[in-house]
Amino acid sequence: MGNSLNEKLSAWVDDELGEFEMRRVTDELVKSEAARSRVRHYQLIGAAMRDEPEAVFDQSLSKRIMDEIDALPEEEQWDLAPSVDTAGSEQAGLEHRGAPWLKILAGGAIAASVALISLTVLKNIGSHGGAVSPPPVASTTPVERNMADEQAPADGTPVMASRDLHAPAQPELAQPVSSPVVAPSAAEPIPPAMQGGANARLLGGYLATHAEHASRRSVLPKARIMGFDMPVDESR
Amino acid sequence: MKHHRGGHAMARLGGRVISTVSHNNNYISKRCLVSKGQKHTARSSDEELIRRVQAGERQAFDVLVNKYQAKIIKLVGGYVKDPHQALDVTQEAFVKAYKGLATFRGDSAFYTWLYRIAINTAKNHLVAEGRRQPDTAIDVQDAEQYACYHELKDSATPEGMLLSEEIKLTVSSAIQHLPEDLKTAITLRELEGMTYEAIAEAMDCPIGTVRSRIFRAREAIDKVLAPLLN
């Protein structure tokens, strides 16, 4: 290193360089360990003159810091562009060239995992009869209701889903309901008990007997139930 | 000019005392003499280095470490008394700063930003150690002038003290052998913190001459000091 450069390094320590010189000296400092070492010596002379504490004279601190930075795991290093000046920093740039791809891949993997978990959870909720699962004999979705409408008898008897009984003001329930008929979903099979009049009567008899014998200690034993008719569309 | 280590430094020009400073117990840096242009250069120098670190040149960060490590050690020393721990905390602060440089936008000066990291790291260290933090916070403007390093001195290790004392003695001895103009220039710069412009005015010479004198003084001292450091 020439005296000219060393004089500039000395002025750099004192922040006494102009813009142009400062850039040139900074460039030299980044490139040359010898220049950095000389700067350290100049700073040490100042520290000694000011009678600064011994910790300030630790010449190995900057090396320890740079060693720790070099030893940082890949994920803790931030994205470094490839260097243009020094071999060492060029190596650093090369080491980190794969980092953006890793980040994109990691991000994609995380997004896919979240989507998979969400789908699995929603599917489980649906299959375990949660809030979104349809009742066994009720049509719940507009599509299913439309299908039920298509199956309605031609005489105008309203057909509705059982869930709709509790709906306060559904447009399709404008007419009074006298004898509700539960319309099974098109996707679900019609229970055998509802497939014919004989079966319906059997079911009614069973229910009447059951109610009579199962509720002996309540009001029902005082009243005899003669039947449990269920309106069934005989035409079906 | 007389220069007493640990006592008073006195710069005398042609029989006229131009400054007196006690630098052992209550050293007050006259940074007020730093011109706005100088501050601007320092900041743009840091900006250039940060830009280069962000562009992938790690050695640029080494330059920043060299530039500020003494200030940060002294600052941390106000919180962490043990010199070894103070060095560890300083190291941790610089590594944190390196990790954070990707997001550093330059809204504040680099040193102000680094100062905050160092203070937080020192406080976290105290919390981890189960010790109480100092009641008084150190203002960023006062950080350079804060004489917290006296506490570091009190708990210095014998071998560390031996080395630092040897360095100080060597430097002091080398200064005594300097020509008067070089001695004055380096003393005004290092002890008074005067700008080249102010020194040129005080010594009645061009700024270029001041720059050359300070450089030659450093070179002469370094020639004596280098064998000790190597």
Side-chain angles (χ1 to χ4, degrees), chain A residues 64-103:
Chain A
R64 290 205 304 272
I65 291 168
M66 294 314 289
D67 285 349
E68 188 175 340
I69 286 170
D70 287 340
L72 283 175
E74 190 96 357
E75 59 270 17
E76 286 187 43
Q77 299 267 9
W78 42 275
D79 185 19
L80 293 173
S83 169
V84 288
D85 287 322
T86 62
S89 54
E90 191 168 7
Q91 184 61 34
L94 288 170
E95 281 170 12
H96 289 80
R97 204 167 279 178
W101 293 105
L102 278 175
K103 282 182 182 175

Side-chain angles (χ1 to χ4, degrees), chain A residues 22-36:
Chain A
M22 185 272 295
R23 282 181 189 279
R24 284 191 60 191
V25 170
T26 302
D27 193 47
E28 189 62 34
L29 279 168
V30 172
K31 281 197 285 190
S32 165
E33 169 57 33
R36 291 198 292 276

Side-chain angles (χ1 to χ4, degrees), chain A residues 99-123:
Chain A
W101 293 105
L102 278 175
K103 282 182 182 175
I104 292 167
L105 279 174
I110 291 167
S113 311
V114 170
L116 190 67
I117 290 166
S118 306
L119 281 173
T120 311
V121 168
L122 283 174
K123 201 175 175 183

